[in-house]
């Protein structure tokens, strides 16, 4: 008995000794772990996030730091939209103009980098006192100096879109660009190419593309709601922004705070005239792309998405008051497509500046065609689908067909907004639905209308070789020219 008691006592002593050793080891390991964790935390706090995850890395939990390039009316509109996104923050702004008076245009109010910077700082100061937005005249200097920029929103005139986008993408920045994506067909292909090479998140500013309407339109057409679609007509009431023809014969004083040479960018120098800027630059071929370039990326988008319209066989355009320097007042364009997979041959027509397509027979008397002088309709073998502009909600005519139609299951992914779709892509999500691959193809088709119009003939399109096979004179309108130092950085 005594011997067993001694053995038990020894065993208990040994267990207690082992427990003390284990506790000491645990304590030591815990200290080592905490020291290692602290060192790791310190190291992480010293290393910028773009170093940890590459130049395109934006953690899902963090804000996307955005630079705004172009602070006119549309730049201001985009800034206000970004204000609604809690994980977006505009940290820098660039525009060659300090101030733009916009009261005589549909934007209203004022634009330019000073007023828009003030609006940005006022918004963010509500949660971040003393918030400051960096201000630059030249976007190139801004992109070089502001290392914290994750993404760029481009809202310049059309002639600078491609340069801004390509430069930013090559620096590893995500990019959102207003429509049309570029000023020329060749630029559209270059922008798409660089987007593929860099892998950044991109989005073109055809805002209706992220709404429910365009998805319903596609799903109804694919479901056969109106049978085979053989004709599409789209239109806008927008036309020429000024009535002058040709290059201005006089010049105006350059507004205070405007770097006119920088505003011109890749275009050859010329005296300033107030019909060039702001906003009315759209009426000049050197800077804008006429009403079709301004609005077709919105109003033709449902047809492009639903019916595979990337490669027309021929394109032609006619217009009133066509000039080599200033855009036309009103125009009509016709795109013809061969059969494409499950789709039959198709004719697509575009009208602008006060010209409108014929009213479909199926549309009942007194019913409005489109809305606010914008819209699109699809003519099928069983009926017609009509949508408002900006890819709005579809409606089937005749009404009896609409009432009898059973909606198909939703096949297309829904998103929570156009800027939201892009921001999610910036954070590693799926590509935005109007990314530059899509936007470049849509822009190319739209701009082919201006190429045909300015060539003054119906062109037959060889998409693979980017050639109008019957019109070598079209080549100069497919690419355009650039002054020295402003060539695309491709």
């Amino acid at each position: 008995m005594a011997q067993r008691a001694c053995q038990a006592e020894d065993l208990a002593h040994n267990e207690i000794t082992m427990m003390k050793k284990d506790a000491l080891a645990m304590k030591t390991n815990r200290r080592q772990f905490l020291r290692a964790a602290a060192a790791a935390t310190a190291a992480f706090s010293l290393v910028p996030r773009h170093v940890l995850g590459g130049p395109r890395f934006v953690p899902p939990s963090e804000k996307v730091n955005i630079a705004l390039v172009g602070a006119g009316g549309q730049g201001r509109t985009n800034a206000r939209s970004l204000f609604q996104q809690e994980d977006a923050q505009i940290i820098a702004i660039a525009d060659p103009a300090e101030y733009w008076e916009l009261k005589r245009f549909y934007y209203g109010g004022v634009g330019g980098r000073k007023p828009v910077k003030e609006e940005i700082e006022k918004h963010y100061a509500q949660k971040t006192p003393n918030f400051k937005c960096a201000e630059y005249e030249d976007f190139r200097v801004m992109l070089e100096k502001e290392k914290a920029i994750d993404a760029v929103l481009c809202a310049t005139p059309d002639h600078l879109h491609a340069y801004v986008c390509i430069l930013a993408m090559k620096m590893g920045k995500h990019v959102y660009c207003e429509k049309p994506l570029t000023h020329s067909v060749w630029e559209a292909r270059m922008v798409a190419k660089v987007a593929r090479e860099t892998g950044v998140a991109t989005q073109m500013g055809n805002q209706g593309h992220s709404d429910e309407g365009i998805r319903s339109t596609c799903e109804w057409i694919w479901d056969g709601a109106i049978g085979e679609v053989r004709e599409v007509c789209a239109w806008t009431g927008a036309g020429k922004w000024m009535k002058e023809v040709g290059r201005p014969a006089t010049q105006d004083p350059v507004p205070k705070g405007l770097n006119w040479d920088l505003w011109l960018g890749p275009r050859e120098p010329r005296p300033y005239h107030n019909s060039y800027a702001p906003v009315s630059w759209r009426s000049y071929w050197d800077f804008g792309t006429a009403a079709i370039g301004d609005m077709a990326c919105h109003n033709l988008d449902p047809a492009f998405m639903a019916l595979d319209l990337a490669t027309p066989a021929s394109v032609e355009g006619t217009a009133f008051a066509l000039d080599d320097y200033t855009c036309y007042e009103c125009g009509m364009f016709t795109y013809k497509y061969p059969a494409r997979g499950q789709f039959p041959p198709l004719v697509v027509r575009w009208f602008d500046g006060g010209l409108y397509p014929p009213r479909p027979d199926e549309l009942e008397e007194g019913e409005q065609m489109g809305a606010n002088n914008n819209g699109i309709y699809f003519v099928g073998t069983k009926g017609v689908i009509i949508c408002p502009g900006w890819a709005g909600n579809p409606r089937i005519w005749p009404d009896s067909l609409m009432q009898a139609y059973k909606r198909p299951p939703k096949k297309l992914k829904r998103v929570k907004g156009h800027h939201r779709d892009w921001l999610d892509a910036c954070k590693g999500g799926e590509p935005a639905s109007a990314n530059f691959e899509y936007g470049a193809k849509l822009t190319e088709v739209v701009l082919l209308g201006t190429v045909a119009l300015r060539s003054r003939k119906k062109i037959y399109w060889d998409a693979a070789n980017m050639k109008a096979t019957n019109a070598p004179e079209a080549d100069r309108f497919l690419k355009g020219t650039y002054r020295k130092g402003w060539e695309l950085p491709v």
Side-chain angles (χ1 to χ4, degrees):
M1 291 287 292
Q3 184 179 9
R4 283 198 298 271
C6 289
Q7 289 174 343
E9 186 178 345
D10 290 342
L11 180 61
H13 176 76
N14 291 338
E15 288 180 352
I16 291 171
T17 301
M18 290 298 295
M19 289 174 65
K20 288 181 178 179
K21 289 181 178 179
D22 289 343
L24 180 61
M26 289 176 64
K27 188 174 183 180
T28 301
N29 290 340
R30 184 173 182 273
R31 283 198 297 266
Q32 291 173 341
F33 171 78
L34 290 174
R35 282 198 298 268
T41 302
F44 182 80
S45 67
L46 294 173
V47 179
R49 69 189 187 195
H50 72 270
V51 174
L52 292 171
R56 295 177 293 277
F57 180 69
V58 181
S61 61
E62 294 194 18
K63 292 182 183 291
V64 180
N65 289 329
I66 299 169
L68 181 65
V69 180
Q74 195 58 26
R76 188 188 67 193
T77 298
N78 276 287
R80 290 173 178 174
S81 294
L82 288 171
F83 291 164
Q84 310 307 313
Q85 305 298 325
E86 291 294 328
D87 57 347
Q89 184 170 254
I90 304 172
I91 66 168
I93 185 171
D95 195 294
E98 288 186 347
Y99 179 92
W100 286 123
E101 175 59 69
L102 300 175
K103 289 181 181 178
R104 63 191 176 101
F105 302 104
Y106 57 90
Y107 293 112
V110 295
R113 66 178 186 271
K114 294 289 187 184
V116 177
K117 167 186 162 69
E118 182 179 346
E119 190 169 337
I120 290 168
E121 291 179 340
K122 181 178 179 181
H123 171 77
Y124 291 118
Q126 296 173 28
K127 292 186 177 179
T128 308
N130 302 316
F131 176 89
K132 294 298 180 184
C133 175
E135 174 192 347
Y136 291 87
E137 182 180 79
D138 193 326
F139 66 91
R140 297 167 298 182
V141 177
M142 177 185 70
L143 289 175
E144 182 63 33
K145 288 188 175 182
E146 298 294 327
K147 304 302 183 184
I149 294 171
D150 299 313
V152 169
L153 193 150
C154 176
T156 67
D158 298 353
H159 70 292
L160 270 167
H161 283 186
Y163 191 100
V164 173
C165 289
I166 289 174
L167 181 63
M169 288 189 292
K170 282 184 169 286
M171 297 178 74
K173 314 300 182 185
H174 306 295
V175 182
Y176 179 113
C177 183
E178 270 303 330
K179 51 75 210 164
L181 183 58
T182 61
H183 189 263
S184 73
V185 170
W186 177 78
E187 286 183 346
R189 296 200 176 187
M190 293 301 101
V191 167
K193 172 178 174 288
V194 174
R196 286 191 297 269
E197 292 171 347
T198 58
V200 297
T202 60
Q203 181 86 307
M204 184 173 75
N206 51 335
Q207 290 80 3
H209 191 84
S210 291
D211 291 343
E212 177 67 23
I214 191 170
R215 286 158 173 75
S216 295
T217 299
C218 291
E219 290 164 349
W220 293 8
I221 288 173
W222 298 338
D223 187 51
I226 58 172
E228 288 189 339
V229 177
R230 299 278 183 165
E231 182 180 7
V232 172
C233 293
W235 65 95
T236 182
K240 204 171 183 181
W241 283 260
M242 32 67 66
K243 298 302 181 184
E244 290 85 355
V245 175
R247 183 182 289 230
T250 60
Q251 65 183 75
D252 294 317
V254 177
K256 181 182 178 181
L258 171 63
N259 184 332
W260 176 235
D261 186 72
L262 180 60
W263 189 97
L264 288 171
R267 299 299 177 251
E268 75 276 6
R270 71 203 68 194
Y272 172 81
H273 192 276
N274 61 23
S275 67
Y276 288 133
V279 182
S280 53
W281 51 262
R282 291 191 180 281
S283 290
Y284 293 93
W285 290 121
D286 279 352
F287 312 121
T289 49
I292 186 173
D294 180 34
M295 291 301 299
C297 286
H298 288 306
N299 296 353
L300 266 180
D301 193 15
F304 188 85
M305 188 174 180
L307 298 172
D308 187 17
L309 301 188
T311 311
S314 66
V315 186
E316 60 183 317
T318 57
F320 176 70
L322 178 62
D323 178 77
D324 288 335
Y325 197 76
T326 52
C327 303
Y328 58 89
E329 289 187 15
C330 54
M332 182 175 73
F333 301 81
T334 302
Y335 300 78
K336 292 186 177 179
Y337 290 84
R340 302 154 330 281
Q342 75 272 32
F343 300 120
L346 177 72
V347 176
V348 176
R349 305 184 197 280
W350 172 264
F351 304 81
D352 60 37
L355 298 179
Y356 296 90
R359 185 180 175 89
D361 294 336
E362 293 85 351
L363 183 62
E364 295 178 4
E365 197 68 33
E367 293 290 344
Q368 185 176 357
M369 188 174 74
N372 300 317
N373 295 320
N374 288 275
I376 183 172
Y377 67 68
F378 301 78
V379 180
T381 52
K382 298 192 309 185
V384 173
I385 289 177
I386 302 181
C387 313
W390 291 271
N393 291 324
R395 179 79 162 76
I396 298 174
W397 296 96
D399 185 62
S400 58
L401 185 59
M402 180 72 178
Q403 299 306 320
Y405 182 56
K406 181 180 179 181
R407 274 57 161 185
K410 294 181 178 181
K411 295 181 178 179
L412 293 169
K413 176 189 173 185
R414 268 56 179 175
V415 297
K416 297 179 180 179
H418 208 57
H419 291 94
R420 179 72 263 157
D421 197 23
W422 175 58
L423 292 170
D424 289 342
C426 291
K427 293 186 166 193
E430 295 180 19
S433 60
N435 60 72
F436 285 0
E437 190 71 29
Y438 179 92
K441 291 175 182 176
L442 173 55
T443 296
E444 176 172 323
V445 169
V446 168
L447 296 185
L448 281 174
T450 67
V451 171
L453 180 68
R454 300 181 72 188
S455 299
R456 291 172 167 77
K457 64 167 57 175
K458 179 178 182 178
I459 63 172
Y460 294 91
W461 185 237
D462 177 359
N465 294 302
M466 205 181 78
K467 285 283 185 183
T469 57
N470 64 316
E473 62 268 36
D475 287 352
R476 66 190 181 104
F477 303 123
L478 289 168
K479 183 176 181 180
T481 58
Y482 307 84
R483 64 166 161 161
K484 188 175 181 181
W486 283 95
E487 300 87 355
L488 288 194
V490 293

